[in-house]
Amino acid sequence: MSEEFDFELNRVARVIAERNVKTALLQFPEGLKRQALKVKGQLVEKVPKCDIKISGEPCYGACDIPKTSDTELIVNFGHLPIPNLANVKDVIFIQARSEADPLPAVKEALPRLGGRVGIVTTAQHIHKIPEITELLESQCKVGVVGKGDDRIFSEGQLLGCNVSSAKSIEDKVDNFLFVGSGDFHPLAVAIATSKEVIIADSISSEVREISELKDKVLRQRFGAIATASHAKSFGIIVSTKPGQRREELAKDIEVKLKEANRDTLIVEMENITPAKLDAFGLDVWVSTACPRIAIDDHARFTNPILTPAELEIMLGQMAWENYLFDTIT
């Protein structure tokens, strides 16, 4: 089943007209790039005097805005602003609300849910939380929605690098209900909270839980740590994306590795690819950028990539039983 989204093109056109924008760049995350042709076509009809350009670069979130662009306005589709990042006046964020109805999947999930249910989702489904809460209440269950930290725009919202809205209610719920498609966000909640997470997929109406994938991922992470423990040379990745840049953390990691008699090299880069890392010929990488690189994309890379917490386990500074999901707060 295809999914439709509200791209708020009337709003985008109004901003372009009010600011007298001559050139605009449209940014889409990977899951929405197939919508680019349609979106541009409809927008050109509304603002024919504006030169509409499309970014072909990866876009992983509201933290991933081009640092340089010859356009007057950047339109970031599919994300909500990150409140603790400086507001850039030449960028607008369009949530791209999904028009899919999640309630059939939520109804299917009801037998698996406890009495107090933590509701979490991504930007595309935030607007459906009131309906989901009402449905749970009709079945004598309590929907609990958490407030995240300063990186989170809306209650109940998850980012790939931040599940604080779930952590804030971890002790108040029996399990979590994730509404949306994809596995990474609910996987992050399952690892970060150690609570059961049930997925209600609004597209397929499928209901599934994440424990088997969680076990598989943790086994893979244990293997990466074990392999890295025998390595001599370590690269430390610092992202140049403002919302992912953790330079001080990278310096702390460098100190820890030098104390453990390992060779280190801090490397800055924007988009992290296997070819870029392989060119340095290092044994292991530690990523201070988005945690998805180490966990979700690990199979793309030749050598192990660890998160900062995994490095602490490797160095004996943290027990495996205390494994932490890497978050940017």
Side-chain angles (χ1 to χ4, degrees):
M1 181 186 300
S2 61
E3 187 174 11
E4 297 296 327
F5 301 90
D6 178 7
F7 290 101
E8 301 182 61
L9 296 185
N10 287 335
R11 175 191 166 198
V12 176
R14 185 172 64 252
V15 171
I16 289 173
E18 289 174 351
R19 300 185 186 181
N20 195 27
V21 172
K22 302 302 183 193
T23 57
L25 179 70
L26 309 186
Q27 262 194 310
F28 297 87
E30 299 309 297
L32 292 180
K33 278 188 165 64
R34 291 181 179 271
Q35 306 284 338
L37 181 63
K38 180 178 71 173
V39 169
K40 179 181 177 180
Q42 293 177 357
L43 192 55
V44 166
E45 292 180 0
K46 297 176 183 295
V47 284
K49 294 183 180 180
C50 182
D51 181 15
I52 306 295
K53 300 180 179 182
I54 307 296
S55 172
E57 294 299 321
C59 179
Y60 298 110
C63 61
D64 198 0
I65 304 298
K67 293 185 292 298
T68 58
S69 174
D70 60 359
T71 57
E72 301 168 59
L73 180 71
I74 297 172
V75 184
N76 180 292
F77 289 106
H79 305 108
L80 291 165
I82 297 178
N84 74 336
L85 292 185
N87 184 34
V88 182
K89 65 180 181 180
D90 60 352
V91 178
I92 61 172
F93 294 93
I94 302 298
Q95 183 178 351
R97 291 184 294 269
S98 171
E99 297 179 0
D101 182 7
L103 296 188
V106 175
K107 290 177 182 177
E108 188 72 21
L110 286 171
R112 304 191 190 189
L113 301 176
R116 296 182 62 83
V117 182
I119 304 172
V120 289
T121 187
T122 55
Q124 282 71 51
H125 306 279
I126 289 291
H127 61 295
K128 293 292 186 179
I129 287 180
E131 294 179 43
I132 296 167
T133 301
E134 184 177 344
L135 173 60
L136 292 176
E137 290 176 351
S138 73
Q139 301 298 311
C140 300
K141 297 180 185 292
V142 177
V144 184
V145 183
K147 180 176 175 59
D149 64 20
D150 288 345
R151 284 181 70 85
I152 301 299
F153 185 85
S154 183
E155 293 185 359
Q157 180 191 0
L158 300 176
L159 301 179
C161 63
N162 188 303
V163 295
S164 58
S165 61
K167 287 291 291 181
S168 69
I169 56 174
E170 178 180 5
D171 297 332
K172 302 175 183 177
V173 301
D174 299 313
N175 53 11
F176 284 97
L177 173 68
F178 171 80
V179 176
S181 56
D183 290 333
F184 185 77
H185 291 87
L187 174 65
V189 174
I191 293 174
T193 68
S194 297
K195 286 286 178 78
E196 179 188 42
V197 181
I198 303 298
I199 301 171
D201 192 316
S202 56
I203 305 305
S204 65
S205 294
E206 176 190 10
V207 175
R208 59 186 186 275
E209 49 89 31
I210 205 77
S211 60
E212 185 175 338
L213 176 60
K214 173 186 172 181
D215 291 343
K216 177 181 177 181
V217 168
L218 289 178
R219 288 195 299 271
Q220 189 278 327
R221 301 318 302 159
F222 186 86
I225 294 168
T227 300
S229 66
H230 303 291
K232 177 61 177 174
S233 59
F234 286 73
I236 305 166
I237 299 169
V238 174
S239 175
T240 60
K241 301 179 192 295
Q244 298 181 23
R245 188 175 181 85
R246 294 188 283 178
E247 188 172 7
E248 290 304 315
L249 175 60
K251 291 178 179 178
D252 289 342
I253 289 170
E254 182 180 42
V255 170
K256 291 177 180 179
L257 284 168
K258 285 184 175 180
E259 289 176 347
N261 296 316
R262 311 298 173 99
D263 297 327
T264 65
L265 189 67
I266 293 180
V267 180
E268 292 192 3
M269 59 183 71
E270 184 172 5
N271 293 313
I272 300 161
T273 66
K276 287 182 179 180
L277 301 192
D278 290 347
F280 288 93
L282 302 176
D283 299 327
V284 175
W285 290 87
V286 184
S287 174
T288 66
C290 178
R292 296 190 75 149
I293 295 164
I295 295 176
D296 212 25
D297 296 341
H298 70 92
R300 296 174 53 221
F301 296 94
T302 306
N303 295 336
I305 300 182
L306 303 185
T307 68
E310 290 168 352
L311 179 70
E312 290 190 19
I313 294 173
M314 190 207 84
L315 294 175
Q317 298 172 355
M318 179 191 299
W320 169 255
E321 291 74 19
N322 298 327
Y323 184 96
L324 294 175
F325 183 83
D326 183 33
T327 59
I328 302 176
T329 58

